[in-house]
């Protein structure tokens, strides 16, 4: 299969083929280049000058966990029974028929990195799935992106209703320290060949051994810094999520080589700790040499979360308006997102050997007039999803 | 004061590709082609060929209302509430919205009550709510899940069902009619604040703004309004496309939104951004609201812009945010377009105002530059 006559933006650096093609076979990209290299033939898909890029990677979201239009019994985002719940996996909560997943696909999002909610200091395993598929077992391609960690309001709230810690920010930090200390002791025993079993500590083994990062949901400046203290004490690899309070501590984040999945950049300021939400954040991170991706933090239903993923055009457009170069904005939702989730060997750019996840638009993806023309996920054209 | 070197979209089917707008004492004095403009002075604003439009109007929002101040949930019918008594005039969300070109909005009580109280059209700049106040532009009503949850399920009183909601609404309007008659005949024994507040509604002067998502809830609003010969608008109208022809036929305008928001409850299942186009095709009258703080008030323009990629004409989208919003809120005499005599609520952009990458260059509210 070949897509021809497209403006191809590969996301490998700023590489483009203004009149180019992409070829793929068995779900993998085999070739890409300028039209001069090939002769069109029957069966080619003519993009008619459309804008072709890798399918977007939504680096942090909760699609499928609380389906659109759902009621309480369909809300599987937060297992609020115990704040220390690393043994969970988002995989077991995803409802593949969530209409929001189809909408994401139609907008050109072909990978969703889905994490458990933010109600627990340790929330469980994050997974990467494709947005086209009938069952999650077919859609998942990375079962352990990392471990979800949370600090801030959702971990503590609603105040007074919890019978177990944490009820304060101090309590949350202490609980993390206690848990990581136990996990380290457990890891030592395990490595010494002892016959040990603890489901929660087992889930934390790759984290305390530095083999998998935690993805830390931190909003306010002080929560960011608290997390960094804990992470350094236990030498834990990490990526920060949201980090709305970063503007004040960019120098510190740079020095620590923090990586940040920023976003959402708009329409989410109803809580005190969200007051820093701003489309200017990616530009600030770029200017300070901090590795970043952009996420819409798209959600589905029962949670009152911010921007539906199919409005990513407005989202990326706002970042560009605030001064982020276009190519950086596009890379932030493709290759950078894939890198920060450790899945860039499979997705995020148009390169031979990578998955044939492609999105074709009739203009620049962040223009308000632009329509999605076609989407391919794993080489399959997403017609079943109505594209 | 004059804005010059501007691409002026008056929203009155008249554009000046290279024009000016002059205003004094908060009112627009004149506008036209640059050829007819007076010589610019040092205080005048050079739009550098950017776009000049009337300020956007958020036709449904809760900006400036602290979360617990939105609905007086102690009983289901409270028309005597006035939202201005809950508004925090200095709330930074007003200034945040102004920075995006939004100069006025209808601040509404919440949707937990069947009748929630008076909706106020406010300018988004001013020290006190009195300075911001333009006029009362509607009476808040609600159908569907919210009143049922608050009163039926949580407080264990009527309404527990949609039938209960409709019956209570009919009772309120019937009592208001009887109260009006008694007053006219000098038989009213004592003043009833709630019924007093409903008088302009049953006289057809003040429209109900019915919160309704599902198409059947929308039709219940239209039905009850018809029975009592009262005017109404439908707020949200997530399932509006299903009954777009009925809305057009009944001349019931729709306040759409929040568009930039996931469907979070079953009664929103019918909704899609593209449905705006169905209302447009059916000839229904519509404008947009953010429901702020549900979505950020400053993101109002995006609500209309997202419909453009699915086919809505871009000038139609812009009109919905300005002239149509003003008309639906009964304020065309002052707001919604650039015309001599209207309020100098003006926004200047460096590109088409609904472009995601356009910058706001200046915003004037009542002729005063606010950003």
């Amino acid at each position: 299969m070949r897509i021809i006559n497209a403006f191809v933006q590969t996301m490998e650096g700023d590489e483009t083929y203004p009149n180019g093609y992409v070829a793929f076979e068995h779900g993998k990209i085999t070739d890409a280049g300028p039209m001069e290299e090939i002769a069109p033939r029957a069966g080619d898909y003519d993009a008619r000058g459309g804008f072709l890029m890798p399918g977007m990677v939504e680096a942090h979201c909760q699609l499928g966990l609380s389906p659109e239009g759902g009621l309480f019994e369909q809300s599987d985002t937060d297992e609020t029974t115990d704040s220390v719940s690393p043994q969970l996996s988002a995989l077991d909560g995803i409802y593949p028929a969530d209409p929001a997943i189809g909408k994401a696909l139609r907008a050109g999002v072909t990978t969703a990195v889905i994490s458990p909610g933010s109600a627990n200091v340790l929330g469980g395993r994050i997974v990467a799935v494709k947005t086209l598929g009938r069952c999650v077992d077919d859609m998942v391609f990375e079962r352990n992106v990392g471990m979800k960690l949370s600090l801030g309001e959702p971990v503590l709230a609603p105040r007074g209703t919890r019978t177990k810690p944490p009820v304060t920010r101090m309590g949350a930090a202490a609980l993390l320290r206690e848990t990581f200390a136990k996990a380290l002791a457990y890891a030592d025993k395990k490595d010494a060949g002892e016959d040990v079993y603890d489901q929660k500590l087992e889930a934390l083994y790759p984290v305390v051994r530095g083999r998998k990062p935690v993805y830390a949901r931190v909003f306010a400046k002080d929560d960011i810094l608290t997390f960094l203290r804990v992470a350094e004490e236990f030498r834990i690899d990490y990526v920060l999520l949201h980090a709305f309070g970063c503007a004040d501590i960019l120098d510190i984040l740079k020095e620590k080589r923090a990586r940040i999945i920023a976003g959402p950049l708009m329409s989410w300021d109803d809580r005190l700790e969200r007051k820093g939400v701003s489309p200017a954040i990616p530009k600030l991170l770029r200017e300070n040499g901090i590795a970043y991706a952009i996420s819409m933090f798209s959600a589905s239903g029962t949670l009152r979360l911010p921007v539906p993923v199919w409005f990513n055009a407005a989202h990326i457009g706002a970042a560009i308006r605030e001064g982020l170069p276009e190519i950086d904005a596009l890379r932030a939702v493709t290759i950078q997102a894939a890198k920060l989730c450790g899945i860039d060997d499979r997705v995020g750019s148009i390169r031979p050997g990578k998955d044939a996840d492609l999105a074709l638009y009739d203009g620049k993806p962040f223009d308000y007039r632009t329509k999605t023309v076609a989407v391919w996920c794993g080489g399959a054209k997403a017609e079943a999803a109505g594209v | 004061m004059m804005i010059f070197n501007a691409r002026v979209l008056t929203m009155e089917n008249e554009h000046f590709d290279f024009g000016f707008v002059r205003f004094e004492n908060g009112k627009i004095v004149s506008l036209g082609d640059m050829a007819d403009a007076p010589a610019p002075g040092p205080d005048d604003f050079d739009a550098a060929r950017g776009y000049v439009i009337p300020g956007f109007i958020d036709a449904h929002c809760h900006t400036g209302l602290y979360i617990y101040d939105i609905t007086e949930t102690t009983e289901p019918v409270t028309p005597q509430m006035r939202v201005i008594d809950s508004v925090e005039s200095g709330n930074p969300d007003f200034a945040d919205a102004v920075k995006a070109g939004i100069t006025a909005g209808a601040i509404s009580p919440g949707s937990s009550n069947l009748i929630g109280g008076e909706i106020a059209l406010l300018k988004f700049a001013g020290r006190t709510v009195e300075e911001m106040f333009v006029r009362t532009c509607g009476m808040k009503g609600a159908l569907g899940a919210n009143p049922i949850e608050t009163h039926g399920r949580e407080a264990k009183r009527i309404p527990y069902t949609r039938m209960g909601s409709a019956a209570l609404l009919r009772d309120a309007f019937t009592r208001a009619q009887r109260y009006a008659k008694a007053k006219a005949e000098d038989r009213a024994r004592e003043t009833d604040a709630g019924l007093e507040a409903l008088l302009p509604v049953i006289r057809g002067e003040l429209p109900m703004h019915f919160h309704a998502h599902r198409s059947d809830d929308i039709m219940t609003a239209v039905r009850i309004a018809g029975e009592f010969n009262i005017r109404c608008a439908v707020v949200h109208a997530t399932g509006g496309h299903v009954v777009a022809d009925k809305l057009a036929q009944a001349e019931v305008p729709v306040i759409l939104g929040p568009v930039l928001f996931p469907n979070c409850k079953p009664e929103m299942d019918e909704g899609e951004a593209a449905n705006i186009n169905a209302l447009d095709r059916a000839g229904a009258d519509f404008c947009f609201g953010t429901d702020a703080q549900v979505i950020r008030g400053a993101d109002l323009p995006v609500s209309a812009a997202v419909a453009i990629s699915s086919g809505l004409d871009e000038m139609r989208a812009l009109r919905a945010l300005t002239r149509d919003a003003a008309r639906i809120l009964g304020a065309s005499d002052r707001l919604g377009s650039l015309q001599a005599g209207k309020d100098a609520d003006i926004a200047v952009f460096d590109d088409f105002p609904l472009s995601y990458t356009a910058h706001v260059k200046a915003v004037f509210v009542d002729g005063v530059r606010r950003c």
Side-chain angles (χ1 to χ4, degrees), chain A residues 34 65 71 100 110 151 175 188 204 213 235 244 253 272 282-283 308 311 314 317 327 344:
Chain A
L65 291 179
L71 291 165
T110 48
L151 288 173
L175 190 56
D188 289 345
L204 288 171
R235 293 185 196 170
F244 300 125
L253 294 170
L272 202 58
K283 183 193 72 168
F311 291 137
I327 180 64
D344 53 312

Side-chain angles (χ1 to χ4, degrees), chain B residues 256 259 272-280 286 288 303 306-307 312:
Chain B
L256 289 162
V259 173
E272 285 283 320
N275 297 334
I276 297 161
N277 296 291
L279 288 164
D280 187 36
F286 62 87
F288 291 93
S303 304
V306 292
L312 185 69

